[in-house]
Amino acid sequence: MLLVLKESRVMRKRLGLFFLICGVQLHSTALFAAENVREDVLALLQGYEWQFDATRFAALPSDAYLTVLNIIEDESIARFIRGRAMVALTLYPNADVWDFYQSNIQASNNTVSRRRFVEASCAGFLASNPQGLADLLVPLLESSDPHLRAHSANCLRRVNDDHNELNLAVVLANYESTIAEDWKRRIAGFDRDEGIRSETVSEKPE
């Protein structure tokens, strides 16, 4: 009986050691795989005459967007690489990426970054989340940053082109009526057609 108990304790110790080793190996494998993905993503963001290659990014693991997000937020990485990562992120229109765009547009104190996030969110979610874009960007037409207003209007015009049911024509016409400078019209995209027409336009001074 004592021999059986001793053998049982030894077996449990061996099994415990076995599972510990397996756990360490799995963790090491996961870390190695994550590091490989990071290296692959960074390699795809290099190049003197860089162009976004959606096909090569699509060949990466489905969770590669997490690595792209990490690169964007890593201030130790060159700004132009992080900017390219922003372009790559538009390939992943999922909930995590949407939350990332939304939080940065709403909370960032960097006006240039906010404009870039507006452009990226529009590129990534124009087809899949037009209502979310409308809810997020309409308030920005009241921003103190004229560039941010214009970039937001540009995206909202594109949403309006495909989704008249969102009733953006009035708010866009109201914004257009406040524009005095040509550069704002160009950024907002109003120069490409005769503007957003609406029977109800309220004058709102700059």
Side-chain angles (χ1 to χ4, degrees), residues 39-196:
E39 290 177 1
D40 290 342
V41 170
L42 286 171
L44 292 177
L45 298 174
Q46 304 292 333
Y48 180 71
E49 296 182 352
W50 184 81
Q51 290 184 341
F52 176 49
D53 190 336
T55 302
R56 295 181 68 184
F57 273 93
L60 296 171
S62 59
D63 62 350
Y65 73 91
L66 295 172
T67 300
V68 179
L69 284 170
N70 180 266
I71 290 171
I72 292 171
E73 295 184 308
D74 188 346
E75 295 185 357
S76 69
I77 294 176
R79 184 175 299 178
F80 75 93
I81 294 293
R82 295 162 62 198
R84 292 173 180 179
M86 280 281 288
V87 176
L89 193 62
T90 62
L91 188 63
Y92 307 96
N94 59 48
D96 289 337
V97 173
W98 173 255
D99 289 345
F100 174 72
Y101 286 146
Q102 186 176 40
S103 64
N104 278 280
I105 289 171
Q106 293 176 336
S108 176
N109 293 321
N110 187 316
T111 55
V112 175
S113 293
R114 293 183 78 192
R115 297 171 207 161
R116 290 174 179 169
F117 281 117
V118 165
E119 293 173 348
S121 65
C122 194
F125 289 91
L126 184 62
S128 63
N129 194 7
Q131 181 66 67
L133 285 171
D135 294 342
L136 179 63
L137 301 183
V138 166
L140 298 185
L141 296 178
E142 304 290 338
S143 169
S144 60
D145 177 10
H147 292 273
L148 186 60
R149 293 198 302 269
H151 283 289
S152 299
N154 185 295
C155 182
L156 289 169
R157 289 182 73 261
R158 296 167 64 189
V159 172
N160 185 65
D161 287 344
D162 295 330
H163 299 278
N164 290 328
E165 72 278 5
L166 297 181
N167 300 316
L168 296 174
V170 172
V171 71
L172 283 167
N174 287 342
Y175 168 71
E176 184 182 9
S177 72
T178 69
I179 298 176
E181 296 90 345
D182 288 341
W183 67 266
K184 291 181 183 179
R185 294 187 60 83
R186 285 195 298 272
I187 294 176
F190 289 121
D191 281 347
R192 290 178 225 159
D193 55 28
E194 296 181 0
I196 300 294

Side-chain angles (χ1 to χ4, degrees), residues 8-21:
S8 177
R9 283 197 295 270
V10 170
M11 182 60 69
R12 285 198 297 271
K13 288 181 179 179
R14 288 177 178 175
L15 284 172
L17 182 60
F18 171 76
F19 286 123
L20 177 62
I21 292 172

